[in-house]
Structures are given as structure tokens and as C-alpha cells.
Amino acid sequence: MSNIPWQDKPENSNEVIWRYSNNPIINRYAIPTSNSIFNSAVVPFKDGFAGVFRCDNKAVQMNIFAGFSKNGVDWDINHEPIVMQAGNTEMIESDYKYDPRVVFIEDRYWITWCNGYNGPTIGIGYTFDFKEFFQCENAFLPFNRNGVLFPQKINGKYAMLSRPSDNGHTPFGDIYISYSPDMKYWGEHRCVMKATPFEESAWQCTKIGAGPIPILTDEGWLMLYHGVINTCNGFRYAMGAAILEVDTPENVKYRTQPYLLGPAVDYEQVGDVPNVVFPCAALHDIEEDKLAIYYGAADTVVAMAFGKLSEVIQYTKDNSL
Amino acid sequence: MSNIPWQDKPENSNEVIWRYSNNPIINRYAIPTSNSIFNSAVVPFKDGFAGVFRCDNKAVQMNIFAGFSKNGVDWDINHEPIVMQAGNTEMIESDYKYDPRVVFIEDRYWITWCNGYNGPTIGIGYTFDFKEFFQCENAFLPFNRNGVLFPQKINGKYAMLSRPSDNGHTPFGDIYISYSPDMKYWGEHRCVMKATPFEESAWQCTKIGAGPIPILTDEGWLMLYHGVINTCNGFRYAMGAAILEVDTPENVKYRTQPYLLGPAVDYEQVGDVPNVVFPCAALHDIEEDKLAIYYGAADTVVAMAFGKLSEVIQYTKDNSL
Amino acid sequence: MSNIPWQDKPENSNEVIWRYSNNPIINRYAIPTSNSIFNSAVVPFKDGFAGVFRCDNKAVQMNIFAGFSKNGVDWDINHEPIVMQAGNTEMIESDYKYDPRVVFIEDRYWITWCNGYNGPTIGIGYTFDFKEFFQCENAFLPFNRNGVLFPQKINGKYAMLSRPSDNGHTPFGDIYISYSPDMKYWGEHRCVMKATPFEESAWQCTKIGAGPIPILTDEGWLMLYHGVINTCNGFRYAMGAAILEVDTPENVKYRTQPYLLGPAVDYEQVGDVPNVVFPCAALHDIEEDKLAIYYGAADTVVAMAFGKLSEVIQYTKDNSL
Amino acid sequence: MSNIPWQDKPENSNEVIWRYSNNPIINRYAIPTSNSIFNSAVVPFKDGFAGVFRCDNKAVQMNIFAGFSKNGVDWDINHEPIVMQAGNTEMIESDYKYDPRVVFIEDRYWITWCNGYNGPTIGIGYTFDFKEFFQCENAFLPFNRNGVLFPQKINGKYAMLSRPSDNGHTPFGDIYISYSPDMKYWGEHRCVMKATPFEESAWQCTKIGAGPIPILTDEGWLMLYHGVINTCNGFRYAMGAAILEVDTPENVKYRTQPYLLGPAVDYEQVGDVPNVVFPCAALHDIEEDKLAIYYGAADTVVAMAFGKLSEVIQYTKDNSL
Amino acid sequence: MSNIPWQDKPENSNEVIWRYSNNPIINRYAIPTSNSIFNSAVVPFKDGFAGVFRCDNKAVQMNIFAGFSKNGVDWDINHEPIVMQAGNTEMIESDYKYDPRVVFIEDRYWITWCNGYNGPTIGIGYTFDFKEFFQCENAFLPFNRNGVLFPQKINGKYAMLSRPSDNGHTPFGDIYISYSPDMKYWGEHRCVMKATPFEESAWQCTKIGAGPIPILTDEGWLMLYHGVINTCNGFRYAMGAAILEVDTPENVKYRTQPYLLGPAVDYEQVGDVPNVVFPCAALHDIEEDKLAIYYGAADTVVAMAFGKLSEVIQYTKDNSL
Amino acid sequence: MSNIPWQDKPENSNEVIWRYSNNPIINRYAIPTSNSIFNSAVVPFKDGFAGVFRCDNKAVQMNIFAGFSKNGVDWDINHEPIVMQAGNTEMIESDYKYDPRVVFIEDRYWITWCNGYNGPTIGIGYTFDFKEFFQCENAFLPFNRNGVLFPQKINGKYAMLSRPSDNGHTPFGDIYISYSPDMKYWGEHRCVMKATPFEESAWQCTKIGAGPIPILTDEGWLMLYHGVINTCNGFRYAMGAAILEVDTPENVKYRTQPYLLGPAVDYEQVGDVPNVVFPCAALHDIEEDKLAIYYGAADTVVAMAFGKLSEVIQYTKDNSL
């Protein structure tokens, strides 16, 4: 029986994705030290949910914090950041941590994040209980962001999406996939999909990056992602969806030409970084056909949006590039 | 008897231009596919009004759509973009269309827009009925934007204002005029007016571009235009006015040092591109001394503002650079 | 007996600095010609207060205006800008004036501002009565901004904080101190403090600049200042505090790692330049332990915030870099 | 009987284009005021040759000068620049003139050049005798460079190649063609060929521009052009060739993937702008199968190179993109 | 008995590294299609030497070619580029190949190069005979350059130096090391050394990259590398040396503050990219204390320089940062 | 009787300034540690000459060295850099020193240079004997370059030319004058002259900076200076002259539109920074009408040029902007 957060589609709405009416679910000052809480990840855990939250403090230092919730909407976030122990290697340098993703594979919860190691790259860690955390080798050389693991091995190997970047406000960026036999050595890097030509789909023409953990469906892997357009007043982040082949996810079957959710309400349009919708996690229930998305809004707060899995898939197929 | 949209100046206001109290008149989702509707043009048509609207869809592709209105305020916009047939040449490539202007000359309605042909340039088309549209030769080589026709021939030739640009978020731009015997070949290019020195009038110091079709008055052509300043948080677009000589509109008689309307209310300050007031059309009634301006706000919605023609002209003369 | 503006800390608040509930105290159109009024300075004067206000007009030309207030909150600002007479030299060129500070030293009120002399540098002037104003030599060669005098001589010399800049939207900037025997010739330039490494305190990692006149306390000079981070959607300005040694203020004793006040409410987040908190003046009462700060918000309006002097000092010591 | 300059291919050479052994033919100080003489054009004239030369003076102001030669190699260049009279319009502003081309059509010699009119655009003039010169309407709006006329009308219209540019050291640029019924009004702008993808032909991947007047051959129009690559130490200009369809020269039949002549000797590699080979004129003799090219070297001197017309055409066909 | 190329130090010279008197050893047109031959690698092979050469053709396409030599100075370079077969994976995309390095490990010759796969990254291949070549998985995601293998496994793993880059003329760059159990999956990425602060050693303050295969000496791994300074007229590349710990080469023992060889003679200062000294290979003879370095000069030709191994090491220790 | 270096004008030359036939007079490796020696200053000293030389070492660290000469052409430069003692203040930080000027005023030799103090600014020092050197307060805040003292007080105050800059390869720059009563505190900053509009004199359109110590003549102060144009392959530095009013040198009487000496021979066109002529010192003999100029060439070596004082002055008057 499903217990993921849910709110029915508003009457008269014909949107595929609709916002939660009590957004934002987490405000910027939800813990004493925070300047902003956003771009965060959750998973089912025990009889409720656990999460890893990006909380920038009032010095605007970026770190990740564990949190817990009974219903997935109301959250208790720890006041101290996650402390890592050495995992499959010695302790890795970490100048900062941000934009976490979380996924359960086999016997533990894996966390990936943007790790500060001579610039941003993909940090990897795991936990069994969200109390003790273990940090592993970085997946890649700098510079990289938006590392997102698949929830199961593919052809016997771990698989990770990522976006090679630069060391600043990267004005480019495509999604790649890489494989690993052991969560330590990574190779077989393949390009999955690129930013689009301006004429074909402008909302995603500057850069793109994977969002929540991909969801296995009958049609393939459903990958929600963010796309960016560089307007004359800065970057605008919106959310789209793609469907990847099950055994060879480097092959894209469908990809939305329109965005699914773009900045259009106050908490998305106004904040530390205006006009940002940035999804990092999703809960789903195949039987009940429910999808609950967590996204950072305006780099300031956490918000939620909902959709019917079947409708999202159908829309992606019907509106594919 | 005048039937253009109108609302009297609010009491206690001493503004020359005042906003419509029910702004925005067209919201971003007014047609099913739209992400934003803005920077659009209208003309009197039959017993009401017709218009050409910039509707960016949710892939943020830019195209132009026809629309109709009885009162000039409430609009029915077609759900499908304008389809062009070959006009005075074979079909011209058009990667995208945006920022239209419309004007009736002699026997038909002429439309100009920013046409994607190896970058932005000025597209030209015409219609007799807003059902069938015919596309002509582009007026210029790339790169150009804000092509605005005069509503009658000048010295026997068609005349067009435009702003040479680059292929990006152009950080410069002056207004030129060009002439054509036949709407196909263009020449006699003259500089009309330039962005101002920062010290003299900073709101228009980065670039300027013509707005609505110029209006013939006793003082000369009244040209409303937009000016841009590059703040440390991006471009800010406001509206000013100039008066050009009737027979030689390359000569500027007056030009407002202050702006007439700048971004100051929520729908102008918050949206896909914050802080944009961008006029593209105006209706006027000389006898009733009325001016009704249509402008894009924050690259997201269409809004209206009103003024007395005589007051605008007097203000332009009294506050000229 | 204290008569500086004051409002007690809201119940349930644990902030060190809290906003005035009737903010903004001065709106953008408070005088007939203004587009925006912000980044302004006040001092006690006679039985009330006087101030020097940055009012950009609707041509977005920047100038400074005198104003008067009985209670420090409700202001009458002159409709004409300050006219300068020659002070300790012939008349100095001034293409524009902005971001004033005011301080009483010995027998007169000294004003510093960003003066347009082949680009921005630090203008100096004085007045005895806020009616007649005298302009002196610029303190430095271009390019410089945020010149802030100490309220008394240090080791027999006038002392000024400033921030060397460039001629544009300067993407760097540290605070220096310089000394003068006579308000005409300046030397002994020393670096006081720098923008921070991103990892240590990101809100002030791009540039910093002194704000109000430093306040002499038992712990040293309390210097409120602004810090800037360059987000992917532009600069974000927040306020911090530092404590400098009394006799050698080039030595920093404490400096807040977190910001004290950052853009988080509508009039700070939306305006001509979104996300700006920019303090330029403060009134204080040591005995009553009160601090009243004037700051520009979003480059559009003037707002106020309050704090207990002792709490600000304690917080600065407890949260020092 | 041919009298164009000529030097046989060096023994042991297998180059298609070879340099003149006495290069440069015109040195930088060849007239008293010059800092450099380069990027110049010549035509057969009477029983010898005439030319239009770009001579930058020692203030580095750019202007064009007439010159005469008996043998096409030894030149007398006037010490005063060309003075224009009004041609098919009133006198056109000309802040500077550079990079001329010359061609005889019907009854007169037409000259095009880069004309300073609010930035670079294409100036047009004519002469009957290289003594009196008449300046016509500029062909296009700014910004444009490298305007090159075809030596005869095409489908009853004048035809001109050009390269839309920006106002600086343009880091992009493709070749277009435009047509005119009267040398005054221009239209039917078509893209002829673009800078190449880096992987396909890197020497011409940044920008390209037409060089000498196209030469009519059995295979089509032979167009020599320059291509530019942006190395980490600046732009490098080399020369290639293309063959365009006779009646529709917007269609490219062949285009060299390799360059024909690149900077490789001292006067091409060292000078005011190192690493520049920039052809602006060519003489040819179909019967004798001779081609003599004039090119600017290092933006400092004029040099010559030779080739067999048939070999150049064959090479272009054999090494086409 | 040593047979590596050698030339004694010139009398009166007190340089640690001296140039070969017959430089360049390979000119730009050494094969029929080449525009330039530079940045190339050699190894002992059979009774002589083999090499992999970067030959850019006259379309300035970059590819690698095999070559052979009896004496290491006079080279026969194949006229056709190396053709790869699939190695430890399917065939990998390769838009271009440049800047090769070659090393013998265990049973075969490994080649690394900058491989064009959606931008530059590190390609890996091997050969047994310099006739058949096999291409393996790319080592890393884009963007990376200057991948250099160690000549033996370290702690049972292959080890590679590299420099994360961007997709252009990268204005930054530090040297990293990565490890692999199988030449397919890479991890354990560590920073080895960074560009220096300008004040400490300016010739290497913009970026650095490994050069030849590191040489095992009694003091540790001798790593020759290039360093770059960004002058106001472009990048200047010079050569330095560092000594790395034998078992943990991520630890730097010594590193030259001065450069060892900088651009100072014509073939280094003038060419397609002026002021470049770029070492890619070195032969050494420990017993005879000889070091022979191959370097690209001005991105145009291949040159050689010599030194005494013991002197280079001593100099590196005596002049270490 | 004059003993300054001299060489008569070559026959057939009609240049105002001519090069020394044995240039360069100091080569790049003239002291054991140097990478380059250039942009240096000399003065008459005892019965010969003394100088302060910019010698960048092979780590490309910039420092200044004393040197001595009997004839002004052949120089003995110390192998160790100048060591400063505290002068009119405590010891000033100096990350680097470059581009020195030297002048005798009253009782001692004053040296100014570009001093590294949180970026470039103007360092001041003095010596009586070129053995002991004393460092004073920096004249200005960062960022500044090319500080040049007048050889006598003006209106009772020391006077210095300088060029406000930024922290990089400054793409702008005008010449200012500042005054000081005591060589410690500086004020009365006035703009002397600016970079020129491109159309008026392009060789000096990007930035300008004072060169040698100004020379007092009957016509006023003769100021040699450098001007820079930004070509598409980098900055090109040439030399011009201006004449300033004697008592108010902020007023320019004449200024050459053409350059006097531009890069045109090998040691000026090829080197670490190609195309640089950068004068830093001049000796003169009014009676013998001789001027001997020392200039840095290509940021690599020191060269000399000569002229007749009267001819330089006449040329400046005859060719003034």
C-alpha cells in the first residue's frame, strides 16, 4: 500500500505535472544556521522517509545534512552536517558538498553529490542507517556535476549519469553515462544526450543535467532532468523528461521537447537565484501510478510537484524531440 | 467615434503614461502550448482589432500567432502559429519568428518580425485578412532586430526602422532607417539615433530599438522606443519617445531624456526575464487625443498603458536630450 | 536621552539584526523626478536628523540630494540636487555622484561619495548646515568606490576606507585604508581586508566594501560592510560586520563569517537590481545599546534594520573567520 | 598576348601555388607617410595596370590610394589618398577605408572597400580613369566586411559577396551573396558558404571572407578566399579556393579542404599582425593558364604568388570538402 | 652501449639543457600533406627507434602517424595516419588525435593522445609492432589533455598523469594522476601539482601539463613538463622539471622554479603559434648520463635538446620551489 | 661637453627618430639568471651613467637591478637585485618590481616602479649612490602602472604622471598627474591625456602611458610615451611624444598623431611579447641638440634610438592631434 506524498490534480488543470498547494515544503531558515535549503534528495526509509539536504549556511558554505520524515512532506533536518568516514579508500578531500542524490542498491543507500576537490566533481558515499556515512573515491576527475546513479546494476556494472563541467557557472553541459565494476574505477564513458539546438528546444539549449534517480518503467528508464536557457538576464532552469533504453541507457528513446515544469510562481521566480526549478529526487508508486517530485526552487527552498507516471511517460512519447 | 481601448488617468496621478488597472491583459498560458505571450502587435481590423502575437511554446520555441478582439483588450489567439506562403520570392528560411509589428499600408497589412535566417534578421510578410499570410524577402543580412515599418511611403518609398545587432544578447544597438522602392530591395541606410552616453541618459545607454509603428502628428513622427541599461544584475528595458521629421525621419527633433515607463510593478519585475517593458504596438485616436500602448512585460505577458497624445508630445519636447 | 529610530526585536526572533516592520521607509518615487532612492546616508543634526540621499532620476542619472527628518524615519528630501561650491581647491569635475556617506568631524559634516571623474573615484565635500556645500579634491585617482571616513582623526590624521575598483561592474574588490594630514593629500595605503575564499565564506567571496561610518566601541571600530557573491544569475549583496583595532584599523580583530542581513524579503529581492542589501549609514546610542541601520534595497528603495550594539559585537566575535 | 606578371614554378616544387621569389613587392614604407601597405587590389588598365592600395599611415589611420604599374610588380603609389565625389547619392560618411577590391564591369571600374560608417560596412565607388572617383550608396547596414563584386551581371543583376561581421575583431563570419538591379538597392541575400566545423577543416573554422574578384572558368566561378583559425596565440589567416555555380553562385560546387597558401615565410609570419596571408586581387590569363595573386602579408606588406589556373581548379575539385 | 642521439654541450655554455645545433630535426612539410609536424613521441624500437608523430595536414586536421629512424634524428614518417582497430572495447569515436605519447610496458607499446570525443579527452591505444594499432576505452570523460602513462605499474596498477581542461584554449590547468587495474576503468584521481602563483614562478602560472614519459631515477620519477604564462600577446610555453616520489608519485619532491628551456630562437619564436616549447618525449641512458628531449617548437616543427641526467636532477633539487 | 651616447642619423634617412645600429645594447641573458632584460632606466652619474634595470629571471619573476656604464651603451649590471631599506615609512610589501624610472631631484636619485602590493601600484624609492636604496610609501592605491616623476618640483610640489590600471593585461588606460608636498601624501589628481579615438590616431587608441622622465624645453615639458593598439593578434606598443605646459603640465599643448617609433625590426617584432617598443628613459643635451632614448624591445631586450631634440619638438608641433 502506497504511502508516498500525494495531492490530486487540481480540477480544471490539464497539466501533466502540478505543484503542491502548500509549497514550499521546506523554507530557507528551517534550521538555525541555514541561509537556504534546496536541491535535496529523499528515499523511502523504514516506515517513513529519509533524506539528504543541501543547506547553505549564512556564510553561504555548502554542505549536506540528513533528515527524516514520517509522511515525506514534513521534515526534521539535523542541525549538524553529515560527517563522513573513510569508505572504499582513504578520506577524500571535500571543500564543499552540494546537490545530493540518494538511491538504495542491493544492501545500502548510496549518495552522490557535487564534491569540492580542486573544483567540483562527483563524490560518492554510502550509509546503511543515515547515521554513519562512508565516503568513497570520487568517480571522476574535476570538473563534473550532477552525478546520478541508476538504482540497479546494468549488465553487471554500476552505472552513473553525470555532466562534465567547468569550474565556474558553466555555460555548457551534456549528460554522459559511465560504468564501474566496483564503485571505484569508472570507464566506458558514453554521451547520452546533449543540450539542444536553440531552434529545436530552447529551454534546454545551454546545458542539461540529470535530476532524480532514473525510474524503471515498461518503456525504459524514466529520467527527469533540468535544462537551462541563458536569457539576457541570466540562467533559467526548467524540468523535462527522457526515456532511456533499459539495457543500454546511453540510447535515448524519447525526450520532451517542451519542459514539464518551469519557473512560474513566486518561490521559483524570486530568491537567491531567480527562475530556478531543479529536481533532485522523486518517489514513485507504479501500482498507484503516482510520481512525487522534490525540487529546489530559486536556489532557496524545497518544493514538491506531482504527476501520474503513465501520463508523464505518454507525454514524453507524444512530445519527443 | 473612437473605439480604441481606454482608461482614464488615475486621480492624483501626474504620470504622462499610466498602466491599465487590469494588467496583464494576456497571461503566459493563454493558449494551451504557450510558456509566455509578450512583445506583440495589434491593428484596427474590420469593426474590431486583429493582432500578431509572440507566443513562445513550452519548448521555448518562438513563433507568431494571429488573434482577434472586439474591444482590443480581450483576445482570442489562434492555437496554431501563422503559416506563411511564398510572397514576393520563394519561401524564405525561418528558424524562428519573434517580436512582430503590424501596419496597414495602401491595400494590405504588412508584418515585420525578427526572422531566424542564419541568425536574427528582419522578416517581412503581408496579409489581407489575417487568414492567409505571404512571406517576402528578408529586408537585410543577418544580424538585425526590431524592424518597424512606417505606415505610409515616404518620398515614394517604403521606409523601415531597424537595429543592427549581433547573434547573441547584443550589448549594443542603434536605430537606423532604410528605404525600398518595392519591399524587396533595400538601401539608403541612415543612422537615426544612438544609445546615449551614460552620463546623459543612462536608462538608454546600452542599446535602443524602435517599438510601435510611428504615429504621424503635427510635430512629426512620434516614435515610441525601448532603451536598455546594463545593470550588475542584467539588462533593464524601459520605454521612451522621440519625434522625427515627417519627410526625413532620419532627423530627430526631440527625444526624451527620462523614460516614460520603466519596470516598477510585479508583472514587469518578475518573470522569465525580469525588468522588461517592451512596447511593440500602439493604437491612437488623434481627435480624442488618446494613445493606447501594448507592451511585453518581463518577457512573459502582455500589458497595456495609456496616455494623452498631446501630453506625450509636449513631454517629449519639454524633456528632450 | 536617545532619540534615534527604534523598534524592538520581534518576539520569537533570534536574529541579531531585524528589519523595520514598515519598510521601505523611502519609496522609489518619493520626489517628483526620481526613478529610485537608495544607498543613502544620515547623521544627527540639530534636534533631528539630516541626510544625503542618492536619487537616480528617470533618465537614470545619479545625483545626491539633501534631506531632513525629525524622527529619522519620515524624510523630506529636497527636490533639487546638492550644488557644490569650490572647497579646498578649484571646482572638481563630477559627471555623476552616488552612494554618499556623511560624518561629523571636529567642526563640520564631511561627505564622501562615488564621484564621476573619468570614471568613478572618491569625491569629498563638507557642509556646516546642509545648505551650503563645498567640494574638495578627490581623494584618489580613478577607479575607486565606497570611500568611508572615520569619525575622528587617527594618530593625528584623517583616515578613509575605500575599495579600488574598475570602470564597470567590478568583479573584484578589497577594503583599504588611507591617511591624510589635510583632507587633500592621501598616502600610507594599507590593505584592511579582502574578499574571502569561496570555501570559507562565500557570501563575501567576490568583493566587499565598507558601509556606514565605523563606530568606536570598547572592542574597537565596528565596521559594517557589504559582501558580494556572483551567482549564476548575478551579484547578490549582503551585510556583515568587522571589528578593527582602534589605533591601527588596518588590523582586523574579528569579522563575521556568516552575513548579518541578506536579501530575503520582497523589497530586497525585487527591484531595479534584484537581491541587494547595501548599508550606507547607521545611528547608534552606546548607553541604550541601540543600533539603527539605513540600507539600500534592490537599488530601488531605502530600508532600515535594528540591532543591539552589544549583540552585534558579541556575534561578530563568536562567529569570526 | 599575355602580359600579366609571372614566374615559373620552382623546380622540385609540387605546390599548386608558389610565392614570388622577390617578395614582398611593396614594402611598408613605400610612400612617405605609410606604416604599412597591404590588402590591396589591382586590375589591367590601358597598356599596364592600375591599383587601389590600403596604406595605413603612421597614426595607423586607414585609407586607400591609387597606384600605377607597367609590369604589375613595380608600383608607383600616389602619396595622397583617393578623394571621392558624390556618385549615385549624396556624399557618404567614411570614417576610414580599407581592404579595397577593384573590378571592371561594362563601362567603368568599380571599387568596393570596408567603409567606416558607424562601424565597418561595404562602401562602393567607381572611376573611369583612376583620377576621378565617385562614391555611391553603401551596399549594406553595418556591420560588414570583404565586399567583393562579380565581374559581370548575373541574371541581369549586379552580384556581391560579403561577410556580415561585428564591430570588433569578429570571431565569426560566413560568406553571403546579395543582388542589386542598380548598384543602389540590395536584396536576395543568400548564404554561400560558412566557416567549417573544426574537425572537417580547421584552418577555416573561425571565419571566412571572399578575396579577389571571382574568375569565370569552365567549371564555374573560381573564388579565392581567406579562412581563419583562432589559435591560442591569435588569428591565423590562410588562403583557399572554391568553385561556385555560374548562374547561381550561392551554390558551391567545390571548396578546398586544405589551404592553398598559409603563412610560412618571414614576411607572412612577422609584422604588425603575425601569421596573415590575405588575398585581395588576382590577374589571370585563361589562354596561357596563368594566375597571379596579390596578397597582404602580416598586415604589413604586399606579396605575390602564382599558379596554373587549370591546376588550381583541378586541385579544388580533387580536395573538396 | 648507448645509441641515443647526442651532442655535447657547447663550449662556454653553462646551460643545463642545450639545443641541438641542427634544429629543427623535422620540418613542417616533411610529409606531402603536412602543414606542421610537432608535439611528437619516440621510443627505442628494435635496433633503432619508432615514433608517433602529430602531423596536422593542410586542412589543419590533427592526426597521428607512425615513423621510424635508425639514429633517432633522421626520421621516415608514414604518409598515411595510423589506423586503429578495436582494442579492449568497440571502436571509439575519434574526431581528431593529437599530442601523442608512447611508452613500452610489459609486452607492448602503449600510446596515449588527446582524442576528440565530444571535445578533447585522453585516448589510449597499443601496438606490438607499430604496424597494427588497437584503440581502447578513453581514460576519462571530456575534457582532458596531456595524458602521460608511467613506464611501469605502480602498486600493481597502471598510472597516468593528465590535465583536466575545457573545450577551448583552456586558461587554467593542473596535473593529476589516476590509476587503473586494467587500462579500462580509472579512478583514485589525485592532484599532483598546480600552476604556480604568479609571484613565485610566473612562467608556469597559467597552466601546466606533463611532457615525456616520466623517467625512474635514484631520486624518484623525473617528470619534464610544460608551463604556460599568459602574456599580453598570448600564451608562452616553456619546459621545467619535477621529481615525484617513486611509489606515490602524487607527492612532489622537487620542482624547478626557473624554466629549463624557453622560447628564444627563431624556430621556437616564429611559426603557427609563436613562443612554444612543448616536450613530448625523451630518451635517456642512465649509465652514460644522457638525456635527449624531443619537443614541438612554435606548433610547427620538431626540435631536440640535450642534457646530463645528473645535472638536470641536481638543478631541479637546487632550484626547487 | 656632451658625453651622452650618440650616433648620427643614417644618410638617406628622413626619420625623426633612428635606431642604434648595434641594437640591442643589452641581450636577454646578460646576467646569469635572466630570461629577459628590458624596460629599464638610466641617468648620468658621476663621470658616467647609472641605471636601474628590469631583469626577469628564468622563473619569470620580475625585479630591478642596479647597473653602471662609462659610455651609456656598455653596461655592467649587478647579478643581485636591489635590496631596499625602509625610507619614509616602515618596509612596504613588494611582491614584484618592474618597469623602473629614475630621476635626480635636489639631492638624490628617485626611483619609481610598478610595485606588487595586492596588485600593481607605484612604488617610490631613493638612493644617493646606487648602493643603498630606501623604499618609501607607495604613491597610490592599486591598481596603477607607469609612474613617472617630473625632474623638479612644480609650484612647490613633487609631480608624478601615472596610469590607473586593472589587475590584468589592462585593455584601457589614460595618463594622469598627481601632486605631493612630501613624497608621501598625494592628491590634486588631474587627467592629462587619454587614449585616442580609433579614427583619429589608432596606434594609441587602446591605452597610453608615460615613458622617460619629462624633459624641460622652451616649448614646455617634452613627454615621450607609449601607445597601444589592440590588433587581432594582440597588443602593439609604439612611441609618441607630447608637449605639456611648464607650470600646469595637466594641459597638453601638442601631441603626435603619428607614432615616432613603431616595431619594425626583428628584435622589436620577435621575442617574449612580440611587437613592443617601450621607452623608459632618455638622456638629452640641450646645447648639442641630442636625445638618446632607451627602450625595451619585445619585452626581451634593451635597445636605443636617437633624435635631434629640436626636430622631435618641431615634428610634435607639426603633426599634433
Side-chain angles (χ1 to χ4, degrees), chain D residues 14-15 19 198-204 229-233 236 257-259 262-264 269-270 274-275 315, chain E residues 28-29 34-35 57-62 95-96 169 233-237 270-276 299-300:
Chain D
N14 50 16
E15 294 296 323
R19 292 173 180 81
F198 179 83
E199 290 80 1
E200 291 178 23
S201 181
W203 70 271
Q204 54 185 321
I229 181 173
N230 184 19
T231 79
C232 71
N233 275 354
R236 178 180 178 270
Q257 189 204 34
Y259 61 79
Q269 292 179 306
V270 176
N275 284 333
Y315 184 87
Chain E
R28 63 188 305 171
Y29 299 130
S34 62
N35 166 66
N57 68 13
K58 288 186 182 66
V60 190
Q61 293 172 303
M62 305 170 298
D95 292 332
Y96 46 79
H169 294 309
N233 276 354
F235 288 166
R236 180 180 177 269
Y237 289 73
V270 176
D272 281 1
V273 183
N275 285 332
V276 178
D299 275 21
T300 306

Side-chain angles (χ1 to χ4, degrees), chain F residues 117-196:
Chain F
Y117 173 78
N118 299 293
T121 188
I122 306 304
I124 304 179
Y126 61 84
T127 183
F128 295 95
D129 54 10
F130 287 91
K131 292 180 187 157
E132 282 196 315
F133 292 84
F134 300 86
Q135 184 167 354
C136 302
E137 283 292 332
N138 290 329
F140 310 118
L141 290 171
F143 308 103
N144 206 315
R145 290 189 178 96
N146 294 305
V148 179
L149 288 165
F150 281 76
Q152 60 190 51
K153 287 186 177 176
I154 295 176
N155 302 317
K157 308 203 198 76
Y158 296 101
M160 188 192 287
L161 301 165
S162 75
R163 196 200 64 194
S165 302
D166 67 16
N167 202 359
H169 295 308
T170 316
F172 61 87
D174 304 326
I175 297 177
Y176 286 74
I177 192 167
S178 304
Y179 294 93
S180 171
D182 53 10
M183 278 284 188
K184 190 165 184 180
Y185 299 100
W186 293 85
E188 291 173 301
H189 314 292
R190 295 291 180 276
C191 188
V192 176
M193 65 190 220
K194 302 195 174 218
T196 46

Side-chain angles (χ1 to χ4, degrees), chain C residues 1 63-64 70-72 98 109 124 143 153 169-170 182 197 201 223 225 236 241 246 251 265-266:
Chain C
M1 177 188 133
N63 214 332
I64 54 177
K70 287 292 176 204
N71 61 8
Y98 63 78
Y109 298 92
I124 304 179
F143 305 103
K153 288 187 176 175
H169 295 308
T170 316
D182 53 11
S201 182
M223 177 183 72
Y225 67 99
R236 179 180 178 270
V246 172
N251 296 336
V265 295
D266 58 355

Side-chain angles (χ1 to χ4, degrees), chain F:
Chain F
M1 175 189 137
S2 171
N3 68 344
I4 71 170
W6 187 252
Q7 189 175 52
D8 284 332
K9 188 185 300 200
E11 294 203 26
N12 305 322
S13 167
N14 50 16
E15 295 295 322
V16 177
I17 298 290
W18 57 94
R19 293 173 181 82
Y20 181 48
S21 61
N22 291 332
N23 272 345
I25 63 163
I26 303 176
N27 81 51
R28 65 187 306 169
Y29 299 130
I31 66 170
T33 56
S34 62
N35 166 67
S36 49
I37 306 179
F38 58 109
N39 301 0
S40 299
V42 309
V43 278
F45 178 66
K46 295 186 176 167
D47 59 345
F49 304 90
V52 178
F53 294 86
R54 172 178 176 176
C55 304
D56 292 6
N57 69 12
K58 289 187 181 66
V60 190
Q61 293 172 305
M62 305 170 298
N63 215 334
I64 55 177
F65 293 66
F68 303 90
S69 172
K70 287 293 178 205
N71 61 8
V73 175
D74 303 301
W75 287 88
D76 289 315
I77 302 175
N78 292 346
H79 291 194
E80 294 302 320
I82 287 170
V83 177
M84 296 281 182
Q85 307 172 48
N88 67 1
T89 186
E90 80 273 16
M91 273 308 297
I92 297 290
E93 178 186 330
S94 181
D95 292 333
Y96 47 78
K97 297 185 182 73
Y98 64 78
D99 293 358
R101 272 77 164 185
V102 186
V103 61
F104 185 83
I105 311 177
E106 292 168 340
D107 63 346
R108 72 193 71 182
Y109 299 92
W110 290 93
I111 306 160
T112 55
W113 66 88
C114 188
N115 191 51
Y117 173 78
N118 299 293
T121 188
I122 306 304
I124 304 179
Y126 61 84
T127 183
F128 295 95
D129 54 10
F130 287 91
K131 292 180 187 157
E132 282 196 315
F133 292 84
F134 300 86
Q135 184 167 354
C136 302
E137 283 292 332
N138 290 329
F140 310 118
L141 290 171
F143 308 103
N144 206 315
R145 290 189 178 96
N146 294 305
V148 179
L149 288 165
F150 281 76
Q152 60 190 51
K153 287 186 177 176
I154 295 176
N155 302 317
K157 308 203 198 76
Y158 296 101
M160 188 192 287
L161 301 165
S162 75
R163 196 200 64 194
S165 302
D166 67 16
N167 202 359
H169 295 308
T170 316
F172 61 87
D174 304 326
I175 297 177
Y176 286 74
I177 192 167
S178 304
Y179 294 93
S180 171
D182 53 10
M183 278 284 188
K184 190 165 184 180
Y185 299 100
W186 293 85
E188 291 173 301
H189 314 292
R190 295 291 180 276
C191 188
V192 176
M193 65 190 220
K194 302 195 174 218
T196 46
F198 178 84
E199 289 81 1
E200 292 179 20
S201 182
W203 70 270
Q204 53 185 321
C205 72
T206 299
K207 55 180 174 177
I208 55 174
I213 303 301
I215 297 168
L216 189 56
T217 74
D218 288 348
E219 290 286 348
W221 292 104
L222 173 65
M223 177 182 72
L224 298 170
Y225 67 99
H226 66 262
V228 179
I229 182 172
N230 184 20
T231 78
C232 71
N233 276 353
F235 288 166
R236 179 179 177 269
Y237 289 73
M239 181 182 78
I243 296 175
L244 314 179
E245 289 185 5
V246 173
D247 293 327
T248 49
E250 46 269 47
N251 297 337
V252 179
K253 294 174 68 180
Y254 307 104
R255 174 184 181 182
T256 51
Q257 190 205 33
Y259 61 78
L260 282 171
L261 188 72
V265 296
D266 59 355
Y267 53 86
E268 295 162 351
Q269 292 179 305
V270 176
D272 281 1
V273 182
N275 285 333
V276 179
V277 162
F278 195 97
C280 285
L283 300 170
H284 67 281
D285 185 311
I286 297 278
E287 284 185 25
E288 303 226 353
D289 197 23
K290 291 178 176 172
L291 177 68
I293 301 164
Y294 295 82
Y295 66 99
D299 276 19
T300 305
V301 296
V302 176
M304 291 194 74
F306 304 100
K308 292 272 187 188
L309 259 178
S310 60
E311 284 184 22
V312 172
I313 290 165
Q314 194 60 44
Y315 185 87
T316 304
K317 293 170 69 174
D318 292 346
N319 295 275
S320 185
L321 275 171

Side-chain angles (χ1 to χ4, degrees), chain A residues 15 198-203 229-233 236 257-259 262-264 269-270 275, chain B residues 28-29 35 57-62 95-96 169 233-235 237 270-275:
Chain A
E15 295 296 321
F198 179 83
E199 291 81 1
E200 292 179 22
S201 182
W203 70 271
I229 182 172
N230 184 20
T231 79
C232 70
N233 276 354
R236 178 179 177 269
Q257 189 203 33
Y259 62 79
Q269 292 179 305
V270 175
N275 285 333
Chain B
R28 65 188 304 170
Y29 299 130
N35 166 66
N57 69 13
K58 290 188 180 63
V60 190
Q61 293 172 304
M62 304 170 299
D95 292 332
Y96 46 79
H169 295 309
N233 275 355
F235 287 166
Y237 289 72
V270 175
D272 281 1
V273 182
N275 286 333

